[in-house]
Amino acid sequence: MSHQSGTQLNQHYIDGEWTDGDGSDTFASESPATGETLAEFTRGTEADVDAALAAADEATEEWRELSYIDRAEYLWEIYHELRDRHQELGEVVSKECGKEISEGKADVTEAWHMVEWAAGNARHPHGDVVPSEVGDKDAYMRRKPRGVVGCITPWNFPVAIPFWHMAIALVEGNTVVWKPAEQTPWCGQIIAEMFDDAGIPDGVFNMVQGFGDAGAAITDDERVDTVLFTGSAEVGQEIASKVGGEPGKLAACEMGGKNGIIITEEADLDIAVHSAIMSSFKTTGQRCVSSERLIVHTDVYDEFKERYVEIAEDVAVGDPLEESTFMGPAIEPEHVEKIRKHNELAEQEGANVLVDRFELGEDEIPDGHEDGNWVGPFVYEIEYDTDLRCLKEECFGPHVALLEYEGDIEDAVEIHNDTPYGLAGAVISEDYRQINYFRDHAEIGLAYANLPCIGAEVHLPFGGVKKSGNGYPSAREAIEAVTERTAWTMNNSKDIQMAQGLSADITMQDD
Ligand SMILES: NC(=O)c1ccc[n+]([C@@H]2O[C@H](COP(=O)([O-])OP(=O)(O)OC[C@H]3O[C@@H](n4cnc5c(N)ncnc54)[C@H](O)[C@@H]3O)[C@@H](O)[C@H]2O)c1
């Protein structure tokens, strides 16, 4: 088994074996905070994906024959490993994706919560007993696994999101081929070690390291029955249209957001400022639920702006492993460029820039971290206009627009809904009517009141509407995506009786 940082090459995990597979190419995991190489990995090719899918396909028959409870036993082993290796894996998350350490550890905690949910759910009822129109019939719904599930995950929750997908797919009786994000292969390596240590039967769990081409080889293969994808809208839409067009195949995709917080004239401004700062800058704005739009009533605009800007000017950017850090670096140099372009776009569209810490001062960058992908908050005010691209396109960074509105909650919600996305949002108000109006009219899957619009609990649905996805790859909803339902009706009498009064008489030609 290989499980190393440093120079040793880490492998794929296919059919219960660690393997270089095709082995024709390698890639590195690089620290976003220092630029140093953390570990080397073999890069997956179509041939590696083919081997993984063959193993997963072969393993489905025996795996689905096990009881839910026996399948869940393997997940309980992993639950204990996640807890035992909490500190170690949390630090790897921080090192590999640059999230500050409390977020790195929270990623691992969320993963074991999801494993707990999925494995615990194995002892809960699965399916429904339903009444029949005919007295002598039993009618009920049973679930069956779909078969092979392809899981494709993003870098920003490199431990939690894979378990949102895989824990449920596996307990429900599917086998899995997983491709971790290319930026966080070390987390992928440790998760695969956990499955290996748990003794999961060969072929049931397979991991292929690599890039988008390996991901596409999974989604395009006819042996895959369900694709679970979390990532950008561009890739998700491509997968949804490709896979959705194939009969018998299903894609559940969770994508990005252009999330907003409404701060009404009835807001408690302490809560408003605190919630907005967390939603804007936690994870350096690189959460799917990060807020890039703050929609603030004119009566409280000036006071809110002053207090928010004062914190944004000074919020601690630094080494993700230091507990005093609030924001770590951006994930990779290409992403720093993407954030730069979004900031420039806002300026071209007429932004009045209030905070520009995009290029941090030398004294703000921690010693020894000069080669990190550093960016700081960029905050601007702009007059709302439906044609502004900077208010519609996801930046996925600490890039925030302040929008002043007049009028009622209805006006604020109209601005809030004016994006192609529909993932998360929050309202800050002490007036329950305003809160309830937001709850009923905001076009989003995750709505918060008097809270940041970040944060998830695994037993709640997680997912968006519009361009943000179809709200499937989480908890209960994911079960729909990885199982097929069979409606069973069973006759308890000797006669055949039909619903809707349909005649069961067979009449003959001579009658
Ligand atoms: N809604 C959610 O639950 C949620 C959660 C986290 C992140 N996100 C979104 O994810 C994005 C950031 O993550 P990212 O940069 O890793 O996203 P990404 O779309 O670039 O990559 C996600 C995964 O898809 C793979 N991939 C890339 N091209 C592919 C292709 N053509 N076919 C198959 N797989 C392919 C990547 O290798 C990676 O594993 C943001 O837009 C963010 O909002 C959404």
Side-chain angles (χ1 to χ4, degrees), residues 113-174:
H113 286 171
M114 186 48 90
V115 172
E116 184 179 50
W117 190 93
N121 196 45
R123 288 187 185 268
H124 280 244
H126 275 64
D128 298 308
V129 177
V130 284
S132 168
E133 288 176 27
V134 178
D136 283 333
K137 268 189 194 167
D138 289 334
Y140 49 97
M141 185 274 279
R142 292 193 51 156
R143 290 189 184 277
K144 292 181 194 151
R146 281 179 59 79
V148 176
V149 174
C151 300
I152 297 175
T153 53
W155 65 266
N156 69 335
F157 283 84
V159 182
I161 291 180
F163 280 105
W164 287 6
H165 292 195
M166 297 192 298
I168 289 163
L170 290 167
V171 170
E172 293 297 327
N174 303 277

Side-chain angles (χ1 to χ4, degrees), residues 14 43 45 47 55 76 93 97 128 132 138 144 163 173 190 208 233 236 314 322 331 354 422 473 483:
I14 298 174
R43 177 174 172 163
T45 61
W76 285 121
V93 172
C97 67
D128 298 308
S132 168
D138 289 334
K144 292 181 194 151
F163 280 105
I190 293 175
V208 177
D314 207 30
E322 290 290 333
I331 184 65
L354 303 170
T483 59

Side-chain angles (χ1 to χ4, degrees), residues 53 57 148 217-225 246-249:
L53 285 169
D57 200 27
V148 176
I218 295 174
T219 60
D220 293 356
D221 196 285
E222 60 182 20
R223 287 165 292 188
V224 174
D225 299 285
E246 286 183 50
K249 245 173 126 167

